[in-house]
Structures are given as structure tokens and as C-alpha cells.
């Protein structure tokens, strides 16, 4: 048998029409996804047309018009005016186009979305109802998890913190510092609960795998091995909890949750914590199985089956055996996550034929620095959360060397890198410091990948903005 051939594909994995799916939400999400994709899809055809017509006398004028009309931005004059000398620099134009479109989708995201704040408030109230005052998610940087919050788990934009790291190997020290800040807010301002309320901090780590081609399309940071990816994420969660318990005594602790995502279908493996909040790689609910078992049931019966699936996981014997059931709030939250994901599976069944056609990587750009919550469409960007390049460098290398080499540079297409950081306009000097940092990071990136940069195969764009959600990007000139 040929080891390289992907395993046989069953006709269609998931059928649409699940009784528990939120169809109205699915329609809204589909509209959002379509608009997002269409915007980027116009770029390459326009570049091809420009390339084909670059020798015409009136080229610069016609090019300007075509770009403005079809893509909605202005191209650098020199690029078009000088095309007659050495030919049109399509690589530079491609980079410019991706950066412009990126700014368009980010800046346009909040228009007409006044509902976001109330949506977040409702979610925060719901989390508190589940005894959590903070939900903090660390997924892998892989672009196929970009839709994690909005699509796969259906959590509101502003209610949860998300930080992506290659292989879900989040920075324990940095996250302990964040936890400390959140606890301090509870003490000083009673936000979102006062310190005497026994609510908890929830840390979620998200690894991923591929059901269609497990040996090749899993997590790059873990050699495409699902077990390694899950095990590493679970260890990281344990280290995080240990760090907090050891640093802050007096019963300081956090709840943790491990979730695996099948990047072909968006189905999740939700690892159910036991009564001592511990998880096992062998104790989980698989929503792909649950979806198939419940799709043809009446609504009430389907709900009951979701509950039963959880109880079965909790009562599991053998390797995955745990000690008792999780606390009531956790049980409520994970039930909600399972239901939310069933809606997503219905979405994938309805709009993507039950499984994504782009099983592999199709990212358009690499985002470095702070999260961009507006980019939540699957496979659009590789996210490298980065505080310093010493720590974040290896994660960035996975993106540049492993993912984009095949996607872009081997074909001669450049890698667009966007450096994005936030400042706090209430803090004097914050903007200047962040601007400096942005420039420093850009310099180091250009240095690190000098060979690619010299061939025009990597370009770096800088943007900063105020840390408040909904603020517009401010472009920094190189
Ligand atoms: Zn990964």
C-alpha cells in the first residue's frame, strides 16, 4: 500500500438537519463567512489580469482603476508606473493587496455590530452562572482553528480571552501573570465578581487532529500525532494549575478543560473533568459520534442523549476512569459547549458538504503579536502570539518554514506577515512604546528570514491600535 495516499474517504460524513442545531445562527455565520472569503478571492484574478496587460501604454491608469473598483484600495503609484522598466512586481503587489484586504476586513468588522457588548454581557452572566469568572482559551496557532471561538464553540467575541501558540503550548508564566491581574481586579474592583465569591478561573487548551488524513494533516508542532498533541496540551494545563497552586497558596486554584478539534469537520473531543477536576486522554465525548447518533431523533430525545453521553463518559471504567463527576457549573458549561458544537457540525454539513474541502493548510497570512479577534474564519491566518521573539520565535518558524514554505514560497508567492500590537491610550507613553516594539519585532523578523526577504518572498506590515475592542488599525510606515 502506498504510505503517502490519504485514507479512503467515506461519501459524506455528516448530514444536515440536526434537531438541536441553531439554524438562524448558522445562516448569519454563513453570510459572514461568504463575505469574508469573497473579499480575498478577488485578489489573485485581478493580479493575473494586471500581469497579462502590463505592456499596454495606458497600463498604470487602467491598473489603478481596476484595483480601486474590484478591490477597493489604491496601489502604490511607483509599482504601476515603473512596470514598463523591469516588468510588474507581482510579488510586491500581492503583499500590498493582502495587507490592504486585511485592514479592510478588520476595520469593517465592527460596523453595525452594536449587539456585541450585550452578547458578551450575556455570556459573562452565563459563565458566572456556571461558577466561572473568567474563560481563557489557548488553542494551537494553526489557521484551521481560527474559527474556534465564533464557529466551533460558539462563544461571543468579547467574553473570552484567546491566545494562540504553536501546538497549544502556551506560555505558563505569562498566563500566571494574566491570572494574577484578573484576581487583582476582583479584589480591587469586584470585576466581574468580588474576591469572596467562590467562582473559578477556567483555562481551556485546544489541540487538533485530522480524521481524514491523521498522519499528515494533524498538528505540525507535534509531528501530526494526535496523542502527542493531546498529551502535550494536557501537561501544559497541569503545569499551569501547579504553578498557580504553588505560587499562591490558600486554596488558589483554577479549573482546566481539554478539547480536541477535528480540523476536517470541526467536531470536538471534549475531555470530561472528574470530581477532582482532573482529565484523561481516554475520557471524552466525541461530538461527531454524538451528532450521528442524534440527528434523526426528535429534539427532546436528542437533548437527553447529549446528557447521557456525558454521563457515560463520567461513569467510564478502564484507562479513562475518573473520580466522580465534575462540579455542577462545569457540567452545565460543557453541556452547552457540546450543544454549540452540534450546531457547528450542522453548519459544516449544510454549507461544506459535511467536511471541509480544504483539509490541509490554506492560510493567506501570518499574524504576529496580539490576537486579532476579527479574523475568525477558518484557515485564513496562522497566528503566532508573540511577546518576545526569543520565546515566540519557534512558533513563528513553524508557520514560515513548515506551513508557508509549501503554500507560498515554493511556488514563488511571498509570505505576508502582519505585526499587530495593542496599546492602552489611558497609559501615558504606551502608544510610543508599542510602536517601538512593533518596529523592533519587524526588524528581527526581517533579519530571521533574510534569505526570503531578499528574494521578495516575505513582506512585513505593521499595525497598532488601542486595546479597546472595536478600535481601528493604525498603520505604521516601514
Ligand atoms: Zn497545531
Amino acid at each position: 500500500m502506498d504510505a503517502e495516499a490519504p485514507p479512503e474517504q467515506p461519501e459524506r460524513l455528516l448530514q444536515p438537519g440536526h434537531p438541536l442545531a441553531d439554524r438562524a445562527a448558522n445562516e448569519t455565520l454563513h453570510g459572514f463567512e461568504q463575505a469574508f472569503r469573497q473579499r480575498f478571492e478577488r485578489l489573485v484574478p485581478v493580479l493575473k489580469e494586471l500581469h497579462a496587460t502590463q505592456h499596454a501604454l495606458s497600463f498604470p491608469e487602467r491598473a489603478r482603476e481596476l484595483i480601486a473598483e474590484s478591490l477597493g484600495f489604491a496601489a502604490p503609484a511607483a509599482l504601476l508606473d515603473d512596470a514598463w522598466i523591469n516588468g510588474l512586481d507581482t510579488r510586491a503587489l500581492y503583499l500590498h493587496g493582502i495587507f490592504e484586504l486585511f485592514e479592510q476586513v478588520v476595520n469593517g468588522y465592527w460596523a453595525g455590530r452594536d449587539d456585541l457588548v450585550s452578547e458578551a454581557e450575556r455570556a459573562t452572566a452565563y459563565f458566572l452562572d456556571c461558577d466561572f469568572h473568567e474563560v481563557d482559551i489557548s488553542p494551537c496557532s494553526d489557521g484551521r482553528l481560527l474559527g474556534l471561538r465564533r464557529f466551533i464553540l460558539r462563544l461571543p467575541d468579547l467574553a473570552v480571552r484567546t491566545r494562540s501558540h504553536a501546538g497549544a503550548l502556551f506560555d505558563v508564566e505569562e498566563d500566571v501573570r494574566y491570572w494574577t491581574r484578573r484576581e487583582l481586579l476582583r479584589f480591587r474592583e469586584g470585576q466581574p465578581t468580588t474576591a469572596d465569591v467562590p467562582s473559578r478561573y477556567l483555562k481551556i487548551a485546544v489541540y487538533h487532529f485530522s480524521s481524514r488524513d491523521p498522519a499528515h494533516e494533524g498538528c505540525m508542532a507535534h509531528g501530526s500525532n494526535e496523542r502527542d498533541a493531546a498529551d502535550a496540551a494536557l501537561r501544559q494545563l497541569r503545569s499551569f494549575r501547579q504553578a498557580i497552586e504553588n505560587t499562591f497558596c490558600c486554596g488558589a486554584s483554577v479549573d482546566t478543560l481539554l478539547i480536541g478539534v477535528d480540523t476536517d469537520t470541526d467536531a470536538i473531543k471534549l475531555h470530561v473533568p472528574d470530581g477532582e477536576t482532573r482529565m484523561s486522554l481516554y475520557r471524552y465525548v466525541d461530538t461527531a459520534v454524538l451528532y450521528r447518533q442524534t440527528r434523526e431523533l426528535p429534539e427532546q430525545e436528542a437533548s437527553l442523549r447529549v446528557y447521557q453521553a456525558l454521563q457515560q463518559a463520567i461513569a467510564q471504567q478502564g484507562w479513562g476512569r475518573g473520580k466522580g463527576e465534575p462540579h455542577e457549573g462545569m457540567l452545565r458549561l460543557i453541556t452547552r459547549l457540546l450543544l454549540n458544537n452540534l450546531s457547528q457540525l450542522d453548519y459544516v454539513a449544510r454549507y461544506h458538504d459535511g467536511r471541509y474541502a480544504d483539509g490541509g493548510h490554506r492560510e493567506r497570512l501570518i499574524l504576529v503579536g496580539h490576537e486579532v479577534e476579527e479574523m475568525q474564519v477558518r484557515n485564513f491566518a496562522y497566528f503566532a502570539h508573540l511577546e518576545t521573539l526569543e520565546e515566540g520565535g519557534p512558533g513563528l518558524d513553524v508557520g514560515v518554514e513548515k506551513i508557508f514554505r509549501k503554500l507560498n514560497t515554493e511556488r514563488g508567492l511571498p509570505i505576508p506577515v502582519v505585526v499587530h500590537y495593542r496599546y492602552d491610550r489611558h497609559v501615558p507613553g504606551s502608544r510610543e512604546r508599542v510602536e517601538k516594539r512593533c518596529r523592533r519585532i519587524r526588524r528581527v523578523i526581517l533579519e530571521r528570514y533574510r534569505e526570503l526577504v531578499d528574494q521578495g518572498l516575505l513582506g512585513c506590515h505593521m499595525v497598532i491600535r488601542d486595546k479597546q475592542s472595536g478600535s481601528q488599525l493604525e498603520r505604521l510606515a516601514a
Side-chain angles (χ1 to χ4, degrees):
M1 200 184 114
D2 181 4
E4 288 302 306
E8 262 181 50
Q9 300 181 24
E11 272 288 280
R12 192 185 164 105
L13 261 182
L14 304 168
Q15 301 286 334
H18 196 282
L20 301 175
D22 183 344
R23 287 195 195 160
N26 281 356
E27 265 173 41
T28 310
L29 281 174
H30 186 235
F32 168 73
E33 185 187 355
Q34 288 289 93
F36 196 103
R37 289 190 183 282
Q38 278 161 8
R39 200 184 282 260
F40 280 86
E41 268 158 19
R42 285 195 290 262
L43 179 62
V44 170
V46 168
L47 291 184
K48 281 183 180 165
E49 191 174 336
L50 293 178
H51 184 80
T53 57
Q54 60 177 304
H55 302 295
L57 267 180
S58 57
F59 172 72
E61 294 73 38
R62 289 195 11 222
R64 258 187 282 280
E65 265 172 41
L66 178 65
I67 293 173
E69 257 172 44
S70 316
L71 303 168
F73 60 81
L79 264 183
L80 304 177
D81 294 340
D82 294 347
W84 66 276
I85 308 173
N86 278 323
L88 182 66
D89 188 345
T90 346
R91 285 179 183 169
L93 208 51
Y94 176 80
L95 286 173
H96 180 84
I98 290 282
F99 297 144
E100 288 280 351
L101 294 173
F102 165 76
E103 288 194 12
Q104 282 178 12
V105 294
V106 171
N107 287 334
Y109 183 80
W110 304 90
R113 296 217 55 201
D114 308 325
D115 56 325
L116 284 173
V117 173
S118 59
E119 186 188 70
E121 280 168 358
R122 278 199 304 279
T124 307
Y126 180 78
F127 293 147
L128 282 174
D129 200 38
C130 298
D131 294 327
F132 296 115
H133 57 256
E134 178 85 22
V135 177
D136 172 5
I137 309 183
S138 290
C140 175
S141 302
D142 195 297
R144 293 168 296 178
L145 293 185
L146 212 53
L148 178 73
R149 201 166 20 160
R150 192 145 190 221
F151 287 81
I152 300 173
L153 300 179
R154 308 275 167 118
L155 295 171
D157 288 327
L158 304 176
V160 288
R161 172 189 194 247
T162 311
R163 295 283 180 274
S164 307
H165 294 270
L169 299 175
F170 56 90
D171 182 336
V172 171
E173 276 71 33
E174 189 199 321
D175 283 6
V176 169
R177 282 196 294 276
Y178 179 76
W179 177 86
T180 315
R181 284 205 298 279
R182 300 304 295 174
E183 291 303 296
L184 191 66
L185 263 181
R186 292 178 68 214
F187 272 100
R188 289 194 55 96
E189 296 174 19
Q191 283 295 340
T193 55
T194 50
D196 58 319
V197 176
S199 57
R200 307 182 50 115
Y201 183 106
L202 175 63
K203 175 84 190 170
I204 306 178
V206 181
Y207 67 93
H208 61 100
F209 57 95
S210 160
S211 58
R212 192 182 59 86
D213 191 1
H216 301 98
E217 295 295 354
C219 185
M220 287 274 188
H222 297 291
S224 210
N225 183 318
E226 180 187 344
R227 213 204 115 89
D228 287 354
D231 192 44
L234 186 57
R235 278 167 200 268
Q236 207 72 357
L237 287 174
R238 285 184 187 144
S239 307
F240 176 64
R241 185 165 56 191
Q242 201 72 53
I244 285 181
E245 287 172 359
N246 293 357
T247 320
F248 306 88
C249 54
C250 315
S253 189
V254 291
D255 268 13
T256 54
L257 190 61
L258 179 67
I259 295 178
V261 173
D262 174 6
T263 50
D264 296 313
T265 63
D266 282 349
I268 58 172
K269 287 183 180 171
L270 196 148
H271 295 261
V272 184
D274 69 4
E276 296 177 355
T277 71
R278 305 209 172 264
M279 285 166 296
S280 156
L281 296 187
Y282 303 97
R283 186 175 65 251
Y284 57 83
V285 176
D286 182 339
T287 54
V289 176
L290 192 56
Y291 186 94
R292 272 186 237 110
Q293 287 172 344
T294 50
R295 195 184 71 85
E296 286 173 18
L297 298 178
E299 194 180 330
Q300 276 206 330
E301 224 172 293
S303 295
L304 184 65
R305 285 293 283 274
V306 174
Y307 172 79
Q308 285 169 341
L310 256 175
Q311 290 304 322
Q312 265 166 19
I314 290 166
Q316 189 178 318
Q317 299 298 315
W319 284 32
R321 183 176 174 170
K323 292 181 182 165
E325 63 176 54
H327 63 83
E328 210 192 304
M330 175 65 92
L331 212 48
R332 252 207 305 277
L333 181 74
I334 57 183
T335 309
R336 164 59 48 196
L337 292 179
L338 290 176
L339 292 170
N340 287 359
N341 186 248
L342 290 179
S343 277
Q344 177 60 12
L345 297 189
D346 195 65
Y347 179 92
V348 176
R350 193 171 296 274
Y351 301 113
H352 295 279
D353 292 334
R355 176 158 51 199
Y356 291 110
D358 54 343
H361 288 279
R362 286 285 183 278
E363 288 96 334
R364 313 297 205 271
L365 68 154
I366 296 181
L367 289 170
V368 173
H370 290 157
E371 247 58 17
V372 181
E373 65 242 51
E374 294 87 349
M375 297 290 284
Q376 289 195 53
V377 172
R378 182 183 178 279
N379 231 345
F380 251 85
Y382 177 86
F383 240 128
H385 178 78
L386 197 136
E387 292 295 338
T388 63
L389 206 66
E390 293 77 48
E391 286 164 7
L396 188 57
D397 288 341
V398 172
V400 173
E401 307 284 349
K402 294 197 175 162
I403 298 174
F404 275 84
R405 180 170 296 276
K406 215 160 147 196
L407 270 182
N408 287 27
T409 52
E410 278 180 4
R411 300 161 55 207
L413 198 63
I415 307 176
V417 179
V418 175
V419 182
H420 165 258
Y421 283 99
R422 291 177 182 274
Y423 62 88
D424 187 343
R425 68 194 158 93
H426 299 299
V427 177
S430 168
R431 192 185 183 285
E432 289 71 27
R433 283 193 294 276
V434 167
E435 180 173 340
K436 258 195 192 157
R437 179 187 196 188
C438 210
R439 293 185 184 282
R440 194 177 59 240
I441 295 280
R442 176 178 180 272
R443 258 200 319 276
V444 186
I445 291 175
L446 295 183
E447 196 54 48
R448 195 178 184 98
Y449 306 110
R450 169 156 301 280
E451 215 177 293
L452 291 174
V453 175
D454 287 346
Q455 300 171 65
L457 285 173
L458 188 143
C460 202
H461 185 60
M462 293 179 288
V463 283
I464 58 172
R465 59 172 154 169
D466 182 42
K467 72 176 205 178
Q468 191 172 357
S469 291
S471 53
Q472 302 276 296
L473 297 173
E474 302 162 37
R475 189 184 296 190
L476 298 180

